[in-house]
Amino acid sequence: MGTLDWKNLPFGYIKTDFNIRCHYKDGKWGKPEVSQSEYIDIHIAATGLHYGQEAFEGLKAYMGKDGKIRVFRWDENASRLISSANGIKMAPVPAELFREAIFQAINLNKKFVPPFGSGASLYVRPLLYGSGAEVGVKPASEYTFIVFVTPVGPYFKGGVKPVNMMICRDVDRAAPLGTGIYKVGGNYAASLRALVAAKESGYGSALFLDAREKKYIDECGPANFYGIKNNTYITPKSESILGSITNKSLIQLAGSLGIKTERRQVPVEELAEFSETGACGTAAVITPIGKIVDPEKNKIYEYCKDGKPGELTMKLYNKLVGIQIGDMPDEFGWMTVVE
Ligand code: PLP
Ligand code: COI
């Protein structure tokens, strides 16, 4: 793997050696199998292709200074995949099977775990879809669970460099009683018009508002949103956003750093009151926001005017990443060493 430029890896797909696959049939899960192929054979009438019966996860494995590989909060991803499966009527993947598959996938592809200090990590992508054939709209009776891994750099270019976001008022990513709380592919399809429009206008991502009233902040493309004011970390409460494991962890870290926390509705106008804002998620880690533009209301909210991330953002970032790479004590018991 001498050819990979670890320090400049994009957030993209790089082929690794092995992936894990497992099939659900006749009401039960089979044994995980190792594959060297990047392709799947899929029934032309699979519900995953036609009716969006598909959910995925994203988590990371990190190389520590001590040469140990650690995975961040895999049990939370396992629970969320169960919730997503139930949300769109798929067979849930038991947490134990999830654990076995992700650790095997990481172990078999150890040489792709980016070195300590590179800023990159091994992204683990579990995927579950309806593989049974149906033509009527109903849940499949067969499912496939796959785990592949790929080494990645930061999702937003430049790592902790501030990015700009565009508020998008003419696209809803998810509805309050819809599937926004699940990590299902359809939500990402629904977000693409806004993401492409934001990128074409030169922004890092789109910022979605609540679909019902267009009054409150929902989330930033594939990451949760937070704002900071008066030593308080504030993050949206909404019925249509994904429960981010990173965000949940930051709330705990903030508490341990003496920063107050609030999870509540965040009105768009409050953007003018924050001293710092950011996006957080597995891929985004913590990405500070430099500017939020609301083109339809002719408004611009600016942060990081000196081009640097804010103080509390950096405190949270350093502690989160310090724990993940095994450089700081794992005081919350979040990390699992890959044996
Ligand atoms: N929101 C959306 C829509 C996402 O796709 C993600 C990524 O997983 C997140 C938020 C962040 O969640 P997490 O911190 O669990 O990765
Ligand atoms: C993640 O943060 O893991 C994500 O899923 C983001 C994304 C690339 C969809």
Side-chain angles (χ1 to χ4, degrees):
M1 290 329 304
T3 52
L4 281 183
D5 180 5
W6 300 113
K7 283 205 155 85
N8 295 301
L9 281 184
F11 187 91
Y13 178 80
I14 290 171
K15 184 182 185 303
T16 54
D17 289 343
F18 302 100
N19 57 80
I20 309 296
R21 295 146 185 237
C22 192
H23 300 285
Y24 177 93
K25 204 178 167 179
D26 301 325
K28 55 180 189 296
W29 283 101
K31 289 239 167 312
E33 290 160 20
V34 178
S35 170
Q36 284 182 279
S37 170
E38 291 173 280
Y39 294 90
I40 46 178
D41 212 9
I42 188 163
H43 195 286
I44 53 175
T47 62
L49 293 180
H50 297 258
Y51 304 128
Q53 264 203 311
E54 184 275 340
F56 67 100
E57 271 303 325
L59 64 163
K60 283 177 173 172
Y62 308 82
M63 179 61 76
K65 212 188 233 165
D66 55 5
K68 290 186 178 156
I69 301 168
R70 292 176 177 80
V71 182
F72 183 67
R73 306 195 78 171
W74 68 267
D75 50 326
E76 292 283 340
N77 295 88
S79 311
R80 191 167 65 189
L81 186 60
I82 292 174
S83 156
S84 296
N86 290 328
I88 58 167
K89 298 287 175 198
M90 298 195 287
V93 175
E96 185 46 37
L97 172 57
F98 184 95
R99 190 196 61 76
E100 192 182 337
I102 62 162
F103 282 93
Q104 196 177 11
I106 298 165
N107 251 319
L108 290 171
N109 293 290
K110 268 189 179 149
K111 67 178 191 214
F112 295 96
V113 181
F116 176 80
S118 62
S121 53
L122 188 74
Y123 186 69
V124 182
R125 172 54 68 88
L127 168 74
L128 171 67
Y129 60 90
S131 44
E134 296 292 346
V135 177
V137 180
K138 61 171 144 168
S141 53
E142 292 178 21
Y143 292 86
T144 299
F145 174 52
I146 296 178
V147 178
F148 73 80
V149 299
T150 191
V152 295
Y155 190 76
F156 291 109
K157 281 201 193 75
V160 258
K161 248 179 48 202
V163 300
N164 298 333
M165 303 269 174
M166 186 175 97
I167 293 184
C168 178
R169 291 175 181 274
D170 54 3
V171 177
D172 289 326
R173 175 188 179 276
L177 297 175
T179 54
I181 57 171
Y182 307 121
K183 199 163 169 66
V184 299
N187 296 337
Y188 298 81
S191 75
L192 286 177
R193 276 181 296 144
L195 289 187
V196 169
K199 292 252 162 77
E200 282 176 355
S201 305
Y203 297 93
S205 187
L207 188 58
F208 292 98
L209 303 184
D210 78 283
R212 189 182 280 131
E213 294 185 89
K214 293 269 177 250
K215 269 193 183 163
Y216 304 101
I217 310 281
D218 250 2
E219 56 184 332
C220 320
N224 274 185
F225 171 87
Y226 69 84
I228 290 175
K229 66 176 184 190
N230 308 326
N231 194 42
T232 310
Y233 175 97
I234 301 160
T235 192
K237 183 174 171 167
S238 160
E239 302 158 89
S240 50
I241 65 176
L242 190 72
S244 155
I245 298 157
T246 313
N247 198 3
K248 180 171 163 178
S249 309
L250 290 176
I251 289 171
Q252 265 182 277
L253 287 180
S256 76
L257 290 166
I259 302 166
K260 287 182 251 157
T261 61
E262 290 175 12
R263 193 194 282 275
R264 57 163 169 82
Q265 286 184 313
V266 177
V268 183
E269 310 77 64
E270 197 174 354
L271 289 176
E273 296 169 22
F274 292 129
S275 52
E276 301 174 34
T277 57
C280 62
T282 299
V285 193
I286 297 183
T287 302
I289 301 176
K291 201 173 10 173
I292 299 175
V293 177
D294 191 347
E296 281 174 56
K297 300 279 172 189
N298 229 342
K299 283 248 179 205
I300 300 179
Y301 305 93
E302 283 196 78
Y303 313 95
C304 316
K305 288 205 182 110
D306 55 359
K308 291 203 203 99
E311 189 193 331
L312 296 193
T313 291
M314 279 320 290
K315 267 195 185 170
L316 289 166
Y317 179 90
N318 289 332
K319 187 143 186 195
L320 176 70
V321 173
I323 292 174
Q324 290 173 331
I325 62 176
D327 216 15
M328 284 190 187
D330 178 19
E331 58 187 90
F332 303 96
W334 287 338
M335 307 308 296
T336 306
V337 172
V338 177
E339 309 283 3

